[in-house]
Amino acid sequence: MTATAASGTAAGGAAAATSSGAARAAQRGGAQWIMAALAMLFCTLARINLDSFGGIPWIMGGVGLVLLVAAMALFARGESRADRLASPILFGLMVIWLWEMLVVGLHVPFVILPPPSKIVEAIIGNLPILWIDFQQTYLHSVLAGYAIGCGAGFLMALAIDRSPFLQRGLTPMGQLISAMPIIGVAPIMVMWFGFGWPSKAAVVVLMTVFPMLVNTRAGLASSEAMERDLMRTYAAGYWQTLLRLRLPAAMPMIFNALKLNSTLALIGAVVAEFFGTPTRGMGFRISTEAARMNLDIVWATITVAAVAGSVSFAAIAAVERLVTFWHPSLRSGEKA
Amino acid sequence: MSESAVRKATGRILPIPTVVLVILIAWYAGAVWLNAPQAEALMDPDQPHGFWTLAQACWSMDRPVLPAPDQIVSALIDSVFGYPLSSPRNLLLQAGYTAEAAGVGLLVGLAFGVALAIGIIHVRTLDRSVMPWVIASQTIPILAIAPMLVVALGVMGITGLTPKAAIVAYLTFFPVTVGMVKGFRTPDPLQLDLMRTYSAGRGTVFAKLRWPASMAFLFPSLKVAVALAVTGAIVAEMPTGAQVGLGARLLAGSYYGQTMMMWSALIMASLLAVFGLLLVFVSERLLILRRGGRL
């Protein structure tokens, strides 16, 4: 990491000082973009002609693949923002392309793995159903459960903060329960709260509350004795110390829990729907369509879930960057 | 032992039993509260009954909304010792199936995670192109894929352990990869420079410096992975006609309204997770002992 940062600043200085270094960098930059473009051209042609010309598309695909990997290796050496974005994007495209080529080219049965093109078709063809499922699972169960679970965990952590006795008793319990397969309570929650979304929200609450409790506790304990002493010299009371020092110091841990919980919440809601649900919801769609061998709709639903999960994760990460801008892991030196 | 030491020890130990006791009392009270409507309906309406008889009825129902803790314990003991080990009604046998899937999957995930971490720290292209996807793969609700994977592999004629272990492996590789990448990178430049002065190659640096240093990161990752493994194995047993394992018992209990079956399967799964954590904990202690007191 330090080496990266150093070479990054060195590159910045070199661009101003010597024109030859900049020119060489530009030259190399050109080569990798041309290679990536050529690779994509070859790969696309290989896919289009897959059914017609026998072995030729496979040779083209092979050339495309070699070019793609070479471009990725070149991008990996670069330090600019575009270089850093390009390698993972190319890798993702490569995986999807390989999936498409192998599934179509080797005639893998549709029930085992549908090609990406069919999944995209299924997404476009079933947008209304996918939207209804998304509403049921994400907008109702996940959001409600996530808000209640994280809120309750946070408040519980604050409540036990003043009592060392409760801390010693509840923290190990919280850690133990976090390690348990809480998802197993799903059938019990369905029995208690019925088939609608409240039972799914209840599972989400149970899954998210303990990670939040444990992380907030650890975060509140993370301010140092020196810092707390300083607050005391300012004659700051409990609440002032909490608001000005300990809560801000706890934010990295709290956001850790928020990010972890965003994934757990979606898993909890989807799995809880396997145990009974009105005839909508992502978990319902996945389990019924998988049983009917309509795997393209299953994959379409999973794509929606993946996008929803990634977008919520990215949103939380963006808020985290705003709130914990002071944290070493986010300061400019390491951010590049 | 001095008085303050005694007080310190009780101050550390006392809170946990107290909290457990409070939870138990709340549980019994909750069982009365939740089961009372049903229990009252079952009782003879002409016979007057006091609160105590009602409470006792609530704590000994066949299909309670919330079973009392002692009911769960006796159901658990009954399902473990009441049937021969070969009977499918024996919960220990079912837990064995789940533990097998979780264990095999965890080992595969561990091997794959460590291999990927070794690749990532040594090959820059892998670091830049794969690492973002390793992290992105966790924002996907992976468990949602479980039923589909089971169906898909079932079509290919692969049933039983393999699909379950595959799901567990997919779930567990992530914490291992992330932890080990961090662990392999903990040696500071000074230590790496020292290895260079010995003219040590990449392999030697890895074996003598990076691998030992990474152990402090392996065990926390493993603890997370164990919890994920049990969860993954149970969910993998739920979909479409799974017959064995704790997940299948949970699903069957939910279909037939057998409350005690669900609760005992749930408690058994928790015990399994705790047992796995204990194994990790013990191996960590052993390694610490072998290394002379620190990791």
Side-chain angles (χ1 to χ4, degrees):
Chain A
M1 210 64 217
T2 41
T4 317
S7 73
T9 45
T18 61
S19 58
S20 69
R24 215 168 40 227
Q27 211 174 16
R28 209 180 65 208
Q32 66 218 25
W33 288 107
I34 291 167
M35 273 166 93
L38 269 180
M40 276 189 229
L41 181 70
F42 271 98
C43 290
T44 317
L45 283 177
R47 170 64 189 94
I48 292 170
N49 298 321
L50 189 57
D51 302 324
S52 32
F53 296 108
I56 297 171
W58 290 103
I59 297 170
M60 287 171 83
V63 173
L65 196 62
V66 170
L67 279 172
L68 202 60
V69 171
M72 253 157 57
L74 282 179
F75 275 122
R77 276 202 237 149
E79 292 303 336
S80 75
R81 209 182 156 77
D83 288 334
R84 282 170 173 277
L85 276 175
S87 336
I89 290 174
L90 282 183
F91 181 79
L93 288 176
M94 185 181 83
V95 170
I96 293 175
W97 178 78
L98 273 176
W99 175 357
E100 174 85 22
M101 284 298 277
L102 292 177
V103 167
V104 176
L106 300 179
H107 304 288
V108 175
F110 186 77
V111 286
I112 293 174
L113 195 62
S117 51
K118 292 274 182 242
I119 297 170
V120 173
E121 266 173 42
I123 293 177
I124 294 167
N126 296 296
L127 273 181
I129 295 181
L130 292 175
W131 171 244
I132 290 170
D133 291 346
F134 178 76
Q135 257 182 324
Q136 169 77 11
T137 304
Y138 194 84
L139 299 183
H140 286 151
S141 324
V142 170
L143 284 188
Y146 182 78
I148 298 173
C150 290
F154 181 73
L155 291 180
M156 273 164 78
L158 282 190
I160 64 171
D161 181 53
R162 297 199 88 160
S163 155
F165 187 84
L166 280 181
Q167 278 176 33
R168 290 210 190 98
L170 278 176
T171 312
M173 294 292 286
Q175 280 166 341
L176 191 67
I177 295 173
S178 302
M180 281 179 181
I182 302 179
I183 196 106
V185 299
I188 294 163
M189 290 299 127
V190 171
M191 193 179 83
W192 284 7
F193 296 103
F195 281 177
W197 65 265
S199 61
K200 282 78 196 174
V203 175
V204 175
V205 168
L206 284 179
M207 284 187 82
T208 52
V209 67
F210 293 104
M212 192 66 187
L213 170 67
V214 171
N215 272 287
T216 309
R217 271 289 322 130
L220 285 175
S222 70
S223 62
E224 283 168 33
M226 281 283 270
E227 296 161 352
R228 285 197 297 271
D229 280 348
L230 181 66
M231 290 306 278
R232 208 165 303 137
T233 62
Y234 294 155
Y238 170 81
W239 289 104
Q240 276 176 318
T241 314
L242 187 71
L243 282 179
R244 299 283 160 87
L245 168 66
R246 298 178 63 219
L247 271 184
M251 279 304 156
M253 296 295 277
I254 291 174
F255 272 100
N256 241 356
L258 283 176
K259 286 197 268 189
L260 177 73
N261 279 346
S262 75
T263 318
L264 284 180
L266 207 48
I267 289 178
V270 169
V271 172
E273 283 176 352
F274 294 163
F275 288 98
T277 158
T279 54
R280 55 179 186 271
M282 291 169 161
F284 166 79
R285 195 68 55 202
I286 289 172
S287 57
T288 50
E289 297 296 335
R292 285 196 212 150
M293 302 287 161
N294 288 335
L295 287 204
D296 50 347
I297 300 180
V298 173
W299 277 96
T301 307
I302 285 168
T303 311
V304 173
V307 170
S310 311
V311 169
S312 357
F313 194 90
I316 297 168
V319 177
E320 179 184 21
R321 236 165 286 142
L322 287 178
V323 174
T324 63
F325 56 89
W326 47 269
H327 195 259
S329 68
L330 289 174
R331 279 200 301 243
S332 56
E334 278 110 322
K335 198 162 65 180
Chain B
M1 213 190 284
S2 71
E3 197 188 325
S4 68
V6 171
R7 196 178 303 147
K8 213 171 165 185
T10 51
R12 196 158 296 164
I13 295 163
L14 208 60
I16 296 174
T18 314
V19 168
V20 172
L21 195 70
V22 169
I23 289 175
L24 279 181
I25 291 170
W27 193 325
Y28 276 107
V32 173
W33 183 52
L34 285 169
N35 298 339
Q38 264 182 296
E40 236 162 6
L42 285 173
M43 280 171 144
D44 190 358
D46 303 328
Q47 200 98 44
H49 53 261
F51 175 75
W52 189 242
T53 21
L54 179 69
Q56 273 177 325
C58 287
W59 293 333
S60 57
M61 286 171 69
D62 269 348
R63 291 184 179 188
V65 179
L66 177 66
D70 63 280
Q71 272 183 297
I72 298 175
V73 171
S74 63
L76 206 59
I77 291 173
D78 181 51
S79 60
V80 170
F81 298 107
Y83 304 95
L85 203 57
S86 55
S87 154
R89 300 190 71 170
N90 189 312
L91 207 54
L92 214 53
L93 179 77
Q94 304 290 350
Y97 287 123
T98 304
E100 193 187 9
V104 172
L106 184 61
L107 285 182
V108 174
L110 182 64
F112 180 71
V114 170
L116 194 62
I118 292 173
I120 282 173
I121 57 153
H122 286 124
V123 182
R124 200 186 168 117
T125 312
L126 273 183
D127 179 24
R128 283 291 172 80
S129 56
V130 180
M131 199 56 186
W133 287 102
V134 171
I135 292 166
S137 78
Q138 293 310 296
T139 66
I140 301 170
I142 303 135
L143 279 176
I145 309 179
M148 194 196 44
L149 206 59
V150 172
V151 170
L153 291 174
V155 169
M156 290 165 80
I158 302 169
T159 49
L161 181 67
T162 317
K164 292 196 269 176
I167 290 162
V168 172
Y170 189 87
L171 276 175
T172 50
F173 95 92
F174 168 75
V176 174
T177 304
V178 172
M180 290 308 268
V181 165
K182 214 177 235 174
F184 288 146
R185 283 187 175 149
T186 38
D188 57 49
L190 217 59
Q191 293 166 320
L192 289 170
D193 281 347
L194 180 66
M195 290 303 276
R196 208 167 302 140
T197 63
Y198 295 153
S199 85
R202 273 183 160 195
T204 322
V205 172
F206 182 80
K208 306 247 158 160
L209 181 59
R210 291 188 192 274
W211 179 258
S214 71
M215 285 301 122
F217 287 79
L218 175 67
F219 288 102
S221 301
L222 265 184
K223 283 174 198 161
V224 176
V226 164
L228 280 175
V230 176
T231 307
I234 288 172
V235 174
E237 284 162 352
M238 284 174 183
T240 52
Q243 279 118 23
V244 296
L246 293 172
R249 294 287 287 184
L250 265 177
L251 196 67
S254 137
Y255 276 167
Y256 303 119
Q258 294 287 352
T259 322
M260 297 314 300
M261 200 162 138
M262 286 197 278
W263 278 94
S264 42
L266 181 61
I267 299 294
M268 199 57 164
S270 306
L271 288 179
L272 198 62
V274 170
F275 178 70
L277 281 180
L278 258 168
L279 276 186
V280 175
F281 192 73
V282 166
S283 43
E284 186 181 12
R285 286 282 127 191
L286 283 179
L287 190 70
I288 288 175
L289 274 183
R290 258 195 60 191
R291 289 202 177 167
R294 66 197 183 91
L295 205 56

